[in-house]
Amino acid sequence: MKTINILFFVLSIAVMYGQNKVPKDTYSDWLYVQSDKPVQERFKLINEDGDFGVFQIQFRLDTQDQTHCNKPQCLGYIMAFGVPDESGQNIIYSHYKVMNTMPETYTFPENVRIKLNFSDGSKRFLTDKGFFYTTNDGDSPQQAYVFSNCVDNIISNYPQHRCREFDETKALTIEK
């Protein structure tokens, strides 16, 4: 009976923290890239390669979210999407203009390699609620902040924005 109670407790904590590991080739839930903008992302583990996982990433625009700017002067959103390099020391940015006319879902053109297993025994893994990690001490899983992203509005006749990493000259425009 004690074993059943312990198992129930562990499962309850796992569900509470969103620790339902996503099976290979299944997407996570849609998650907001940034909490105050309606651009969402989701991830799918394609395969594992040594200490790395290879992931496919998709974006979409949640036009029903209260943060969606639907005024005529709001054309869409800029996004600097930063992925760590394999060393984990540098961030490589992709630059997007996500227009309000964006198709339903956009798939990131390249798969992304993310380090999952570390020499100290800690591990990173994908759940339905995003990336989490555990240490070798057996601590409870914690949310892992893997990406460095910035999203801001594109307002006609107003070129300023808060995303210093965004490079307009490298931006890919996503629209219908």
Side-chain angles (χ1 to χ4, degrees):
M1 185 65 149
K2 188 173 186 177
T3 303
I4 292 173
N5 288 339
I6 291 172
L7 181 59
F8 178 73
F9 176 74
V10 170
L11 288 173
S12 298
I13 289 176
V15 169
M16 181 173 70
Y17 285 102
Q19 298 308 305
N20 299 322
K21 280 192 179 180
V22 176
K24 185 177 171 189
D25 291 328
T26 302
Y27 280 103
S28 67
D29 293 346
W30 283 107
L31 308 164
Y32 288 96
V33 174
Q34 193 168 297
S35 63
D36 66 339
K37 301 296 177 201
V39 179
Q40 294 180 307
E41 62 191 352
R42 68 180 181 176
F43 311 94
K44 175 171 69 171
L45 177 64
I46 303 297
N47 64 45
E48 291 187 46
D49 180 17
D51 289 335
F52 291 85
V54 179
F55 293 88
Q56 185 176 69
I57 302 171
Q58 290 186 329
F59 299 114
R60 77 175 181 184
L61 189 58
D62 183 359
T63 58
Q64 302 305 309
D65 188 73
Q66 66 183 3
T67 63
H68 178 60
C69 180
N70 55 11
K71 296 177 180 167
Q73 66 270 27
C74 186
L75 306 176
Y77 303 88
I78 61 162
M79 180 170 61
F81 188 78
V83 177
D85 68 1
E86 290 191 18
S87 73
Q89 302 299 312
N90 301 299
I91 302 292
I92 301 166
Y93 284 95
S94 298
H95 311 271
Y96 296 94
K97 287 181 167 180
V98 180
M99 308 310 287
N100 281 338
T101 60
M102 174 184 180
E104 200 164 299
T105 301
Y106 173 78
T107 302
F108 198 75
E110 301 90 27
N111 291 334
V112 175
R113 288 173 50 91
I114 302 295
K115 191 161 188 174
L116 299 177
N117 301 305
F118 298 87
S119 59
D120 67 358
S122 58
K123 296 182 181 304
R124 192 183 283 158
F125 53 94
L126 180 63
T127 74
D128 53 347
K129 301 296 180 203
F131 287 92
F132 282 74
Y133 72 92
T134 57
T135 64
N136 63 346
D137 297 334
D139 293 341
S140 296
Q142 301 291 317
Q143 188 167 10
Y145 298 98
V146 178
F147 304 98
S148 178
N149 305 318
C150 185
V151 179
D152 204 2
N153 296 347
I154 300 172
I155 306 293
S156 62
N157 299 321
Y158 188 76
Q160 285 80 12
H161 56 78
R162 65 180 176 193
C163 299
R164 71 175 188 266
E165 301 87 2
F166 179 74
D167 184 343
E168 174 122 21
T169 64
K170 296 179 181 176
L172 174 66
T173 301
I174 305 170
E175 60 186 340
K176 279 188 182 177

